Amino acid sequence: MLEKCPKCGGHLTDEPGNEFLVCDDCGAMFEPEAEETKVSVEETSKIEDRTEELRKIGKVKKIIYPIMIVLMALCIGLIFFEINEYSGAAIVKDKIGAYSEFDDSTGKDSYPDTALTDDIMRADYEEFYVSRYKVVTTVVTIICAVVSIAVIWLISMIIIEVADARIFDRPKNRRNIMLFATPAAIAIAAIIVAFVIIGVKLPASPKNAKFDIVTKSYLGKNMERNYSSLNRRTHIHYSMKYAEGGEEYKQTISDYEYHHIYPSKSGEYYFVSVDGQIFHLYPTSTYGIQ
């Protein structure tokens, strides 16, 4: 019900038995229902029509959301693909197992009856590459794909927020934009750094591998266990020895190299590597270089 006079702003009194409201100051009379309807119509006319702006922002969302869904679907597809690749790499690693012993034809008088061809080295290097690096690269790729899904959503929200501000002619909500942009920028930087590190650390792929062959006298490998009373743990150290130029050398190796690259038997071997990474030793008594 009206409380103030629409003309002078004075107080309106509802006198008993009277259908009208009477202003105490100017004496004007008003019909309550008619005045309330009039005021409601005047207030409604002041509301700005935003139909066109809502239609524009709706179009933006119709473009952004499908793109976002497609990109997310591609990331999910990549995750399933890499999971399959991870399983394949694990199977190859289990298949290789520990380093198999060479045959007994390692004597001084034995004659190499197999040519050490590029195909033989490439096949062995492919097994090494898959078992040594593929597991790591698939895990990193899966993590990056999961993070990418979140980044795609964050960037989509930023685009919608900016478009909304431009269409409705209002200042951008900088707080929301920073809330979305900061984690997105950090995630993108982390993904780039991860792939740069992988690209630098990994040797050439089996397809692009170029093999370096050096003949050395291999003196065997060794595993040492040292118990530390300080942290009550046993530390295992792996190493191998070789002779070159009349001098003996000892080199620290990883557990993978100990089990999968260096053989138990000593003798003269071709040390074959790619980008400085040794992946296999071939006995000169079995293999010959053309």
Side-chain angles (χ1 to χ4, degrees), residues 57 111 125 151 154 175 177 209 242:
I57 195 63
Y111 183 78
Y125 178 67
V151 171
L154 290 170
R175 182 176 176 276
I177 292 176
Y242 67 93

Side-chain angles (χ1 to χ4, degrees), residues 99 128 132 221 251-263 277-278:
Y99 197 100
F128 163 80
R132 187 74 176 91
K221 60 184 178 180
Q251 181 176 319
T252 300
I253 59 177
S254 66
D255 60 335
Y256 180 91
E257 291 173 321
Y258 179 88
H259 292 293
H260 300 289
I261 294 179
Y262 293 98
Q277 177 69 54
I278 295 174

Side-chain angles (χ1 to χ4, degrees), residues 42-55:
E42 289 176 353
E43 290 178 351
T44 302
S45 64
K46 294 179 182 179
I47 298 176
E48 188 177 356
D49 185 9
R50 291 287 189 174
T51 304
E52 182 64 22
E53 285 82 355
L54 292 171
R55 186 181 63 80

